[in-house]
Amino acid sequence: PRKIVVRRARRTDAGAVAQLYFETIHRVNARDYNVRQIHAWAPQVLPSAFWRRRWRNYQVWVATEGLRVVGFAEIEPTGRIDCFYVAHDRQARGIGRALMKRIKQEAQRSGTERLRADVSITAQPFFEKKVFAVSGGEDMVSAVQFLALSNGENGWKKEKKQ
């Protein structure tokens, strides 16, 4: 297996990210959502310019194996994780774990107190394993992870479920 490298996204990654986003939704999320929902979510491969424009508002990380982009994550300055996707053919191989590790490192470095994400039903088990408190409805769930800063601990803790 090739080494997973997580780095900041480059403008030239936009095409690979666009394809990965579309394929993951259509091949992985399709297990949990119907055709109408999938097509509303990702009706086509969005142009690279869309992604480059979007990234102005996010810290964006990509996971690569060799030259191939195999995952990506977008994080707002508030600690909200927007997109978090791993290539359909690279699921359960440590890529999501590597992306999450980098996100947590950056959050701690910048003093972010919590990470938050609205995640798909498909992604819920991954976020629960990463010590996020998960709650929500039928199609999307909210996941929150608090960073313990006030008592000097250097770790993550689970929020109590409401």
Side-chain angles (χ1 to χ4, degrees):
R2 290 188 170 176
K3 183 180 177 189
I4 301 165
V5 175
V6 178
R7 61 167 170 77
R8 291 277 189 143
R10 302 176 185 137
R11 290 178 54 81
T12 54
D13 295 324
V17 164
Q19 193 67 41
L20 186 151
Y21 176 83
F22 179 85
E23 288 180 3
T24 302
I25 291 166
H26 283 260
R27 295 182 183 197
V28 177
N29 297 97
R31 294 188 298 240
D32 298 308
Y33 295 89
N34 66 45
V35 172
R36 192 172 70 241
Q37 290 169 313
I38 292 297
H39 287 289
W41 190 349
Q44 63 189 34
V45 176
L46 296 167
S48 296
F50 166 86
W51 292 98
R52 287 192 297 268
R53 202 169 39 254
R54 178 182 168 83
W55 291 349
R56 293 178 194 153
N57 303 312
Y58 297 93
Q59 186 179 92
V60 184
W61 297 94
V62 295
T64 62
E65 287 181 332
L67 297 175
R68 181 181 175 204
V69 173
V70 293
F72 80 101
E74 298 174 341
I75 301 88
E76 294 176 351
T78 62
R80 182 177 169 272
I81 301 168
D82 194 343
C83 287
F84 193 99
Y85 290 87
V86 172
H88 69 92
D89 60 342
R90 304 304 295 150
Q91 300 280 307
R93 305 236 172 115
I95 295 161
R97 186 170 47 250
L99 277 168
M100 188 60 72
K101 180 179 178 183
R102 177 55 63 92
I103 289 168
K104 288 179 180 181
Q105 289 169 343
E106 287 300 311
Q108 288 174 320
R109 189 186 59 72
S110 68
T112 300
E113 293 185 23
R114 71 176 182 161
L115 292 175
R116 183 183 161 294
D118 295 317
V119 302
S120 68
I121 299 301
T122 312
Q124 182 176 345
F126 172 83
F127 278 81
E128 286 179 325
K129 284 182 198 168
K130 299 299 162 211
V131 199
F132 277 74
V134 178
S135 62
E138 209 170 284
D139 295 330
M140 295 294 286
V141 293
S142 291
V144 180
Q145 190 174 75
F146 285 90
L147 178 57
L149 293 175
S150 57
N151 59 6
E153 291 179 18
N154 187 20
W156 296 83
K157 63 182 181 180
K158 194 169 184 175
E159 178 189 39
K160 290 182 181 174
K161 292 185 181 183
Q162 301 290 331

